[in-house]
Amino acid sequence: MRHALAIAAILFLAVLGFSGDVFAQVPLGLPQIQFGFSQPGSIEEVATGLQIMALLTVLTLAPSILIMMTSFTRIIIVLSFMRQALGTQQSPPNQVLIGLAVFLTFFSMAPIGTRIQKVALEPYFAERINFVSAAERAAGPLRGFMLKQTREKDLALFIGLSKAKQPKTADDVPLTTLIPAFLISEMKTAFQIGFMLFIPFLVIDMVVASVLLSLGMMMLPPILISLPFKLMLFVMVDGWALIVGSLMRSIA
């Protein structure tokens, strides 16, 4: 723990722009990292090792969890449709869209994360519950979020495909059935929003194409003329704020 705080202090001072003389006055040492295998001396050591393996597994699956069990799918699809509707090719670039989608996902899922911390993480770190109980409690808020965003038709589809017993309550729906139903519901909602985004820009493209055709400029690509008008319309109505606001309200 002491070594970790030392590394954090070094990085913090480096970010603030302190000179090398400041570091020379602080007696901080680099930690030694060792990897090895040995026989466990007690049952507690075995349990700790299994918990570390479970944590590493969760970290490996974290990108999939972010995509499949949060609002990331809806956000990134809508942002991609918005770029295609504008006709700006690779602007904004994929890195910017994905970064914006990730942070919007964190923002929209913050209440869910707060509830997970209160009902699962804090009791687990306080050693009031075990790891299995913490995982079950953490799944509760995520299950509620996904059920709220999932259409009954999609959920019934996967319940029928699984050929399992009809669940009596929402808590009885297994995650293996809920997650794919949630995903196709999110994609359908995202495509509906994308269709609505295309309409005003499609009208501009049709008007520009008709004007160029009437003027006999058939060799001039309409996209070259319509792109500035679409960008001007998007900026005048504060398009990014409207899209982000509508997305957040649709997720809440």
Side-chain angles (χ1 to χ4, degrees):
M1 185 65 181
R2 183 176 68 254
H3 295 314
L5 292 176
I7 295 175
I10 291 175
L11 295 176
F12 179 72
L13 293 177
V15 171
L16 292 181
F18 282 87
S19 62
D21 296 333
V22 176
F23 295 109
Q25 299 174 3
V26 181
L28 299 177
L30 295 176
Q32 295 182 357
I33 302 176
Q34 298 180 355
F35 295 94
F37 298 92
S38 61
Q39 292 293 332
S42 62
I43 299 179
E44 288 76 10
E45 292 183 1
V46 177
T48 302
L50 293 176
Q51 290 177 4
I52 293 175
M53 292 179 61
L55 178 60
L56 293 176
T57 303
V58 171
L59 291 177
T60 303
L61 298 176
S64 300
I65 295 174
L66 173 65
I67 293 175
M68 293 187 300
M69 302 177 67
T70 64
S71 56
F72 179 84
T73 302
R74 181 187 305 189
I75 295 173
I76 191 62
I77 291 177
V78 171
L79 293 179
S80 300
F81 271 127
M82 187 68 257
R83 184 174 64 182
Q84 294 178 12
L86 285 172
T88 53
Q89 301 299 324
Q90 295 298 320
S91 182
N94 292 330
Q95 294 86 346
V96 175
L97 289 185
I98 294 175
L100 178 60
V102 168
F103 281 101
L104 289 178
T105 302
F106 288 155
F107 178 82
S108 62
M109 299 298 294
I112 309 299
T114 302
R115 288 201 293 271
I116 292 176
Q117 180 180 1
K118 290 182 179 179
V119 302
L121 295 182
E122 291 181 357
Y124 174 70
F125 290 138
E127 298 183 354
R128 295 197 299 269
I129 59 176
N130 56 24
F131 181 79
V132 177
S133 299
E136 292 176 353
R137 291 190 181 187
L142 281 176
R143 181 190 297 274
F145 169 78
M146 289 189 290
L147 283 172
K148 182 180 178 181
Q149 304 296 332
T150 304
R151 293 177 172 84
E152 294 183 1
K153 181 180 178 181
D154 298 330
L155 187 59
L157 170 65
F158 282 95
I159 291 176
L161 292 175
S162 65
K163 298 181 180 179
K165 185 185 296 185
Q166 191 74 15
K168 297 180 180 179
T169 62
D171 296 334
D172 296 332
V173 179
L175 288 177
T176 54
T177 301
L178 178 58
I179 292 176
F182 168 75
L183 281 174
I184 63 172
S185 294
E186 287 291 283
M187 288 190 290
K188 182 177 180 179
T189 302
F191 274 68
Q192 290 175 343
I193 298 175
F195 172 76
M196 298 302 297
L197 291 175
F198 262 96
I199 293 178
F201 300 108
L202 181 61
V203 171
I204 294 177
D205 288 333
M206 294 176 62
V207 171
V208 171
S210 300
V211 172
L212 292 178
L213 185 61
S214 63
L215 294 176
M217 300 180 180
M218 294 177 291
M219 302 300 296
L220 182 63
I223 186 65
L224 295 178
I225 307 300
S226 63
L227 179 58
F229 290 100
K230 290 191 289 187
L231 291 177
M232 181 179 63
L233 173 65
F234 190 72
V235 172
M236 289 179 59
V237 300
D238 199 2
W240 290 115
L242 289 176
I243 294 173
V244 171
S246 300
L247 277 172
M248 295 300 100
R249 283 189 290 269
S250 67
I251 296 170

